[in-house]
Amino acid sequence: MTDQAKVTLRILDRADKEILKLTRAEKGGVYDFQSAFRQNPNTPSLHFKRLKGNSRLFSARIGKDHRALLLHVGNQDYLLVSVKHRSEVYDGIEDKYSYQINRVTGGIEVVDLSAVGDSIVGRLLPPERQLTHTRVRPAQVRPEPAPGVGDTAGGEPGGQKDVERPLFEAFTDQDLVDLGVVPALLPLIRRIVDEDELLGLAEVAPQLTSDVLLALHDGKSVEEVLEHVTVPVKADSPVDPEDFAAAVARPATQVTSDDAALQAVLGESFARWQVFLHPTQRQLVDRVYGGPARVSGGPGTGKTIVALHRAGHLAARLPPGDDKPILLTTFNRNLAADLRARFLDLVGPDLVDRVDIVNIDKLASRVVGEAGASRRRRTIDDDAAVREWAAMLDEVGERRWDAEFLAAEWAEVVLGQVLRSRTDYFKARRPGRGRPLSRADRDAVWQLVERFTKRLDDAGVWTWRQVAEYAARTEQDRAAAVVSAAGQPTASGSLPRYRYRHVVVDEAQDLNPAHWKMLRAMVAPGRDDIFLVGDTHQRIYDNYVTLGSLGVNIRGRSAKLTLSYRTTRQILWTALRLLAGETYDDLDGDDDNLAGYRSLLSGGEPVLGEAVTWADELKLISGQIRVWESAGDGSTSAGDGSTAVCVPTRRMVEDVVTHLEASGISAIEIGPDGPKRADGVHVGTMHRFKGLEYRRIIIGGASAGLVPRGVIERYQDVDPKRYQQERARDRSLLFVAATRARDELAIFWHGRPSPFLAAAWTRRRAVGSSLRN
């Protein structure tokens, strides 16, 4: 019998997709097969044999009706590359499979030529086009001619039929191979004529080939695809095209060999993200970093997935113990609860118990509580703090600054930077604050800050910003004690130590400076200390930071995810247009962008529509819900929680709920803790949609004066920097709302449309799209 310890069976991700299509009983047969194979592949009932004329491909029996195709990686290491019905396993099938080590990624790629060759052409093309293939739809969307312009019987002047050109004719074979495309697929790629055919190939082609072709089809240049698609998955060391043992261990070979993960895949208890990561994601998860590292990327690119896997990767390498040396944190409690649930599914209860999963304000409150500083004090939110500032300014007759400005100066500069004295404030940098302050101004502001702080103390209240600032000071003192002790026990005999060994942060763009000061002090500077993921294009709070100035130096340790798994390319295009003309920072003083951001999914164009009044727009909203429901495939309905309506204000939420209920559509409001029920159409303000996802979303009230808020116009002349920041924040809210939609998006307004819609609205008119009015 073969030595069990030396037998490894891994499942390639493409085989996993085939397994998911099997019945429950057939999946059970696959599980029985993999268990028996790992114990002894030469068991007679498995009929394990090498395919004729091929040194690496083998077949084996799975039950009575299916066969496993396996690639021999080396020694007793095998890769399950496909599960076929026995009727498909015929003589010569070994000639239908191409396998190689990709010279760019170093990963193993297996191509079923029978699936992507003549059969895919036959499935997607009419017979008259299967032999000669010359017509193609260009990647770029071209404006449709106005009615009557160039209309002839044949569609071309003079009655000539429009002849389109091959989709990828502008790119040489060498271009495609250098970008990572499988050479065996080049003849077929030259025959692809439109997006439907391309998407058909993308379903079965290796990951990098699909990514490259779809990015080129989206209009990206060879240079852009190289930078954003190919380079991020390039192997870290030279690739030996014959070393399959090394190739199977690289991130580009998307496989699993873990027993629990295999069982989960077959039993459908795991989502695919829990087992298979995109090679770019896997590299970021497994890498050893010399200090703080950041991963950015647009909505739906898997940043949270990477953070969860990173926390699991670090937890799996901890020495035995019952402590919690890893922190996994995010901005609000809803997101933290979601992280806990998903992390439990990913790693199981044992590793969950080694990770402290808590939202950032609760963590700060815990630190403050341990120090005994929170007794008999009530916490108020930022809006209440602004009202207190306004009341105090009225009492003292101060007119130089308004309450909003002073509240932000106090929260973002004084508290955010943990400034402990007037002298510290005089020397402090004020990034993102816009309005300059002289030394005399700072002296006056500091006096007002001291007066305001005493006012809150006397009332027995404080703000969440104050809690974070106090926690940061407490942890800084603790870190100083660790450094001072330098391995020497304290009077009690114990060694002072940092609170955590590793810190992982999700939604990093929403944390304020005091949060970062606290986190920096909670973990010793060094290897794998802080790992953060976020996207400043989704910043919806007034938290502007430069991480380097706060002790979190990410220079040289930043990476970007560009592939969206959530939404269609059509919705993505519209969402990106909403950001047109705005600049965003990268959390470290430089500009950030979403260059290379793309999706592999395709769907219908978003609906854009206008109404005269808000009452008319409400009818548009209910009408669109009815349209989607009547056009659906029956798998979902308006009342199953897969549809949502997003509006700018609480009052508009109330109006939408009332209107939908009166129209016979069940409507559920999204509160601070999420939707109050899972069913119905969910309705909430834009802030409530952070972290949520729906198949269909309607954004209502996208009107000038609402998006962006009309109130910010007062800052345009007196404080241009603040005006720009407030405007960018409102634009980000609209962007976040649009990118919560997976399949369908509608944007409505009444009166004048939001200026943020200009690019999307112009483009829709240019291509002649019909809008519902």
Side-chain angles (χ1 to χ4, degrees):
M1 178 177 289
T2 304
D3 184 353
Q4 179 180 348
K6 294 183 179 180
V7 178
T8 301
L9 176 65
R10 312 170 198 254
I11 294 182
L12 192 65
D13 66 331
R14 68 179 307 278
D16 163 69
K17 295 175 184 176
E18 295 176 344
I19 294 169
L20 289 176
K21 297 177 182 178
L22 301 177
T23 66
R24 182 175 295 274
E26 291 167 342
K27 289 176 184 174
V30 175
Y31 181 72
D32 292 341
F33 158 76
Q34 65 89 18
S35 178
F37 186 90
R38 294 182 66 198
Q39 291 181 29
N40 182 8
N42 296 312
T43 299
S45 61
L46 296 181
H47 291 262
F48 179 57
K49 62 180 181 180
R50 189 191 310 271
L51 295 178
K52 295 179 181 178
N54 199 304
S55 61
R56 288 192 180 273
L57 280 178
F58 289 73
S59 68
R61 175 179 291 178
I62 299 177
K64 66 177 182 178
D65 291 327
H66 290 83
R67 300 293 181 266
L69 293 178
L70 304 115
L71 183 69
H72 182 213
V73 176
N75 296 325
Q76 294 295 325
D77 198 349
Y78 294 87
L79 190 59
L80 178 61
V81 300
S82 186
V83 175
K84 295 284 189 184
H85 191 273
R86 58 186 173 85
S87 63
E88 298 180 68
V89 181
Y90 47 84
D91 289 342
I93 192 173
E94 61 273 11
D95 297 327
K96 294 293 185 181
Y97 274 82
S98 169
Y99 61 86
Q100 66 170 27
I101 297 174
N102 189 294
R103 292 178 179 271
V104 173
T105 68
I108 297 174
E109 295 180 327
V110 180
V111 183
D112 182 353
L113 297 175
S114 66
V116 300
D118 290 339
S119 66
I120 198 170
V121 173
R123 176 162 57 89
L124 296 173
L125 303 181
E128 64 272 17
R129 289 174 55 207
Q130 291 179 22
L131 296 179
T132 60
H133 217 56
T134 58
R135 190 179 67 81
V136 67
R137 182 174 301 130
Q140 291 79 13
V141 177
R142 295 178 300 180
E144 296 178 3
V149 178
D151 285 347
T152 61
E156 291 260 318
Q160 299 274 329
K161 190 173 183 179
D162 183 22
V163 177
E164 297 173 321
R165 307 184 66 83
L167 195 61
F168 296 102
E169 73 166 359
F171 310 104
T172 68
D173 286 356
Q174 192 62 52
D175 286 336
L176 299 178
V177 171
D178 288 346
L179 292 173
V181 169
V182 176
L185 294 179
L186 289 174
L188 178 61
I189 291 168
R190 293 304 177 196
R191 300 172 66 189
I192 289 180
V193 300
D194 58 28
E195 186 174 278
D196 289 338
E197 297 167 22
L198 176 58
L199 293 175
L201 174 62
E203 288 179 8
V204 291
Q207 180 78 59
L208 183 56
T209 294
S210 298
D211 288 355
V212 166
L213 294 179
L214 286 165
L216 291 173
H217 176 60
D218 282 342
K220 304 294 189 297
S221 67
V222 170
E223 293 74 18
E224 289 174 319
V225 175
L226 180 66
E227 177 184 357
H228 297 295
V229 180
T230 306
V231 170
V233 297
K234 184 176 176 64
D236 293 333
S237 56
V239 174
D240 181 348
E242 301 300 325
D243 190 349
F244 281 79
V248 78
R250 290 193 178 101
T253 307
Q254 294 180 268
V255 299
T256 182
S257 59
D258 177 75
D259 285 341
L262 283 171
Q263 187 171 4
V265 168
L266 300 174
E268 299 183 43
S269 62
F270 271 25
R272 294 193 82 251
W273 65 265
Q274 293 171 269
V275 180
F276 299 102
L277 288 177
H278 187 281
T280 308
Q281 297 171 325
R282 174 58 66 189
Q283 285 186 339
L284 299 175
V285 166
D286 293 344
R287 185 172 297 164
V288 175
Y289 299 92
R294 178 199 60 191
V295 175
S296 62
T301 53
K303 298 183 298 298
T304 297
I305 302 306
V306 167
L308 289 167
H309 277 269
R310 179 64 177 176
H313 171 81
L314 295 171
R317 284 152 182 78
L318 290 173
D322 56 4
D323 57 342
K324 293 179 181 286
I326 298 175
L327 171 67
L328 175 58
T329 189
T330 189
F331 184 72
N332 66 43
R333 63 178 185 264
N334 292 337
L335 295 177
D338 181 62
L339 286 178
R340 172 173 289 281
R342 297 169 80 175
F343 193 62
L344 177 62
D345 286 341
L346 177 65
V347 304
D350 291 340
L351 287 185
V352 164
D353 289 342
R354 303 301 306 280
V355 179
D356 190 10
I357 306 174
V358 59
N359 71 288
I360 194 71
D361 281 330
K362 185 175 181 180
L363 176 64
S365 294
R366 182 196 299 168
V367 172
V368 170
E370 290 173 1
S374 61
R375 297 169 187 168
R376 297 182 301 278
R377 299 193 76 169
R378 180 171 56 88
T379 306
I380 61 174
D381 62 21
D382 289 345
D383 290 338
V386 171
R387 290 194 294 271
E388 288 292 334
W389 270 106
M392 189 192 79
L393 293 179
D394 282 342
E395 291 172 7
V396 300
E398 176 62 60
R399 297 290 182 267
R400 283 173 292 179
W401 301 282
D402 61 34
E404 289 86 357
F405 174 82
L406 290 173
E409 184 75 9
W410 174 60
E412 295 175 26
V413 181
V414 178
L415 298 178
Q417 297 185 38
V418 194
L419 305 180
R420 305 192 185 198
S421 69
R422 175 174 170 272
T423 301
D424 289 341
Y425 180 53
F426 281 179
K427 295 186 295 185
R429 295 178 64 250
R430 303 171 60 251
R433 291 296 295 138
R435 180 177 175 178
L437 294 179
S438 67
R439 185 175 179 85
D441 288 337
R442 293 199 189 204
D443 183 60
V445 169
W446 184 260
Q447 291 183 47
L448 289 170
V449 164
E450 289 183 325
R451 186 184 186 107
F452 181 74
T453 303
K454 184 178 185 303
R455 178 188 181 93
L456 295 187
D457 289 344
D458 292 343
V461 299
W462 59 356
T463 68
W464 286 111
R465 302 272 188 159
Q466 285 179 289
V467 172
E469 186 268 349
Y470 191 98
R473 281 195 283 124
T474 301
E475 289 300 308
Q476 286 176 335
D477 291 343
R478 176 177 179 150
V482 173
V483 173
S484 177
Q488 299 299 316
T490 63
S492 63
S494 62
L495 282 173
R497 61 179 184 175
Y498 291 95
R499 191 175 291 264
Y500 299 108
R501 182 177 300 184
H502 308 288
V503 170
V504 179
V505 183
D506 188 29
E507 301 290 354
Q509 75 280 350
D510 290 331
L511 272 59
N512 67 50
H515 290 145
W516 288 112
K517 287 272 191 176
M518 177 183 70
L519 293 177
R520 175 64 282 176
M522 283 180 163
V523 59
R527 191 173 69 174
D528 294 335
D529 53 352
I530 299 177
F531 184 88
L532 60 103
V533 303
D535 176 21
T536 56
H537 301 87
Q538 299 182 65
R539 181 193 285 124
I540 60 175
Y541 302 102
D542 288 325
N543 294 324
Y544 297 89
V545 303
T546 302
L547 290 177
S549 68
L550 300 172
V552 183
N553 182 16
I554 57 175
R555 295 281 171 154
R557 290 183 294 272
S558 293
K560 181 180 293 188
L561 298 172
T562 58
L563 179 60
S564 174
Y565 299 90
R566 176 189 296 144
T567 193
T568 66
R569 296 156 70 191
Q570 290 77 11
I571 293 174
L572 184 63
W573 193 97
T574 297
L576 290 174
R577 300 282 72 74
L578 300 179
L579 296 177
E582 205 72 62
T583 57
Y584 292 84
D585 66 284
D586 67 349
L587 295 178
D588 207 39
D590 294 326
D591 289 342
D592 194 12
N593 60 62
L594 291 174
Y597 188 33
R598 66 201 191 282
S599 172
L600 304 185
L601 308 174
S602 185
E605 288 285 346
V607 174
L608 303 181
E610 57 190 340
V612 176
T613 67
W614 173 230
D616 293 333
E617 188 182 338
L618 288 171
K619 296 176 184 177
L620 274 183
I621 291 171
S622 58
Q624 184 63 55
I625 293 172
R626 296 298 190 197
V627 167
W628 279 340
E629 188 159 45
S630 64
D633 58 8
S635 62
T636 62
S637 68
D640 66 359
S642 63
T643 301
V645 180
C646 173
V647 289
T649 70
R650 282 294 312 281
R651 177 62 181 272
M652 297 177 83
V653 170
E654 296 171 1
D655 290 345
V656 172
V657 170
T658 299
H659 174 77
L660 292 183
E661 292 286 353
S663 303
I665 300 172
S666 175
I668 310 300
E669 184 176 349
I670 303 173
D673 296 317
K676 297 177 181 178
R677 294 205 319 266
D679 60 346
V681 173
H682 295 175
V683 185
T685 61
M686 292 179 178
H687 278 92
R688 300 291 193 215
F689 277 78
K690 190 66 176 286
L692 300 180
E693 178 181 312
Y694 293 90
R695 284 193 62 179
R696 298 172 293 260
I697 282 183
I698 297 172
I699 299 175
S703 305
L706 291 171
V707 185
R709 294 159 291 150
V711 69
I712 71 174
E713 295 299 323
R714 58 180 166 156
Y715 303 127
Q716 188 166 8
D717 295 326
V718 298
D719 194 346
K721 181 70 173 182
R722 182 175 179 182
Y723 171 74
Q724 190 60 37
Q725 289 178 343
E726 295 287 347
R727 186 179 168 92
R729 186 156 65 101
D730 285 3
R731 195 189 289 268
S732 291
L733 274 170
L734 186 60
F735 176 69
V736 168
T739 54
R740 302 306 99 187
R742 285 171 43 200
D743 303 326
E744 305 276 2
L745 173 67
I747 304 176
F748 297 141
W749 64 90
H750 58 278
R752 291 185 300 112
S754 165
F756 300 156
L757 295 177
W761 179 237
T762 301
R763 185 256 184 175
R764 291 296 306 277
R765 284 183 164 173
V767 299
S769 298
S770 61
L771 302 173
R772 292 180 175 88
N773 293 298

